[in-house]
Amino acid sequence: MSDRAPVRPSDEELRASLAHRVDRAMRGADAPSRDRSLLADSIRQRVTRTPQSPAWRLRWERPGRLGAAAAVALSVIVIAAAAALPHLAPVGGPRVVPSFAGGTTRGAPETRPGVDPGDVQVLTGGDLERLLYTGDPFPVGRVVVAAVGIDSAAVDLPCRPAEPCPVGVLTGTSRVIDVVAQPDARVAPADGPVALSLVDPTTVEYLGPVVASDGDLVWDWDRLRGRTRGGTGDPPLPGNVVIADGWLVGVGDANPGCPASPPDEPTMRPDLPFHACPPGPWLTEMPEQPVSMTPDTVTITHPTGGLQVQRDAYARFAPGASRDEAGLDVPRYGRYLLRVVAGSGRGWQMLGRLDPIVVPPDAPTPMTPAGSLEPSLAPAAADRPLTGTTLPVPLDSDLPPGRTAQVVSNAYRHLVLSDLGRQVEQHLLVPARLSAEGETGTLWWHDYTTGEQILVTLDLSRPATPIVATEYPTSNTTGLSAWETQRVHAAAVADARVTRVLGSEIAVADATVVRCPVDPGFCASAVIRPRPPAGGGHASAPPPRVVVVDLASLQVVESQE
Amino acid sequence: MERSLIERSRRGDRDAFDLLVRRKVDAVYRTAVSILGHDADAQDATQEAFVAAWRRLPALRDPDRFDAWLGRILVNECRMMLRRRRRVREIRPAFLRAGADGSEATDEARVDERRDGAPPLADAQADADAFARAFERLTIDQRALLVSHYLEDRSLAEIAERLGIPTGTVKSRLHAARRALAIALEREAR
């Protein structure tokens, strides 16, 4: 951190900025949503369906050591009602007798959706490279397991406290992929795979070495439990990462008095002078529901052999995290990455969910010559894989002298057709023309399906331009970087949803802090700016329109002039 | 009057709670929108906060502290909202990070270049955007503190009462929040 104190806004500036922030957010709302009475109506409807919880007074029962097996399995908090509330029906959720054995609890889901019990997907450096550069949409925040090396001698940069620190670059990749890690992480040479989080198209975050259990990357629960009890075998060391399939179970609202913030924060309820945080959430082998309620008690039982993880793990990583009407978290099954944060597996941090990830194809196939603009050469998008290669600049190139350029031979345009709900249509695009004026280039894409042209403005002033392939890495699929691919899609989607003015250009605005309604989300913003009238003239051009496109759902989420 | 509504609500009177909601909803929403910066999120957080308050009301012992209690629930819901959605993400394309000579260039400058001569964003708009991004780098608790003091004009003593912590602690946290905001603004300006 810099020694020099940052310049602080004055009180008045801060007030004005906050007020402006509120005004801007409220201006963006449509008229009905500005009517707070509708919000109150909606709350009333929810309240009508929602029973009140018992008025509890906390009584802690800390179990003694009940033997080796039970001691790990058992941690019970009994919250007894301050007064009996016989008029209240039992509050939702499973009606269970607290179980020290911790078997499957009635009321919890039994199915195990979405996880392939087969091998763990271990990416190679090449896989990772293609994923990073051509992932579509870019899988920000996803965690992966990869067999890659890290050259830590490649960086010598100071680290800022509390920020990810550059620790090296990946080895075995043709492009430079930076590796960052949390300041307290120790990046040690690993014989096996490592866990990584995808940060942006040129950066991954190192999470730790992935350790196997007797050669199996997915830990068997018996071994996991045995080792967490300090049983046979070497327990995973702090900093190591393990993979486990299981149910992520939380306690939902059944945590009176428990702050989500650190212990030095105020208690959640002013009438409780202390923190009363029940444990959890946990990763468990069986779909247990740790919370049970009666009209006058709420009981939270530490699931048998469950691995307690950090408090926000359920909200962050459970697939389809949700609460039922009683405010209890619904157990969710998945394959999760866990890091040991205390010796002998007594403390665990959940790093993420290890979902299958689609790696773009390796070898490009020969392309349709860009100059061939026969519509018959464009088969239905669904019949044709996303393949591509780079080609010499096609038609009408007027690049500055001395420059060479390669452009995508084809790409796809995803359209969200408003009159067909959320249906997405995929159109093949072929570059039709590249022009340059000064250091700015414009690439015309031809949409075979609709006959429309899409324009993308390019910066030719740097080697890192998307159309110069020699120094800037390009996608096998589109010839563009992952980011550029997103831009094309953004432009295409914007084009589909915003009244299009022929001759308008689509330029990409600063992409910082755009809102994505999906997780992992990725959005792009674009400015659609009509060209000045041909031949000069004094007629003023229509104002530019800014759109923000959610590239996961391919929808325009904001559009304003 | 309000105390009566709260006590009736604690006993399960939904009509009383509805009246209470209608009295408070605007202020609660305004706090939420100032923390989250987004209308739909703020509406969701407001709704969740009131529903959670309804569910937990029987446990509230002192009706006079309802506002502080509700405020804390709201901040918690705002925190949950961000965690669930986790959708604000700063992406900086590589080609915007460095110039041809490897020198750093600001994203704004690069974007302005890419606009092919278009006028840069108006300063006020750019400032507002920068402030929004910087503010969203703060923790929810820091945001809530700044909003309470500078937007809602609550005194340190009021905030201390609301949070149940000493005034001195509020002061030091407010100081830390302002410093964090200044650092975030500085980063945005680079």
Side-chain angles (χ1 to χ4, degrees), chain A residues 410-428:
Chain A
N410 72 0
Y412 286 89
R413 173 191 193 190
H414 297 139
L415 303 179
V416 180
L417 305 177
S418 55
D419 54 342
L420 295 174
R422 289 172 59 96
Q423 183 174 339
V424 176
E425 201 168 293
Q426 196 177 39
H427 296 175
L428 179 67

Side-chain angles (χ1 to χ4, degrees), chain A residues 78 162 183 187 281 302 338 343 381 429 495:
Chain A
V78 175
V187 182
H302 187 140
L338 300 150
L429 301 177
D495 182 67

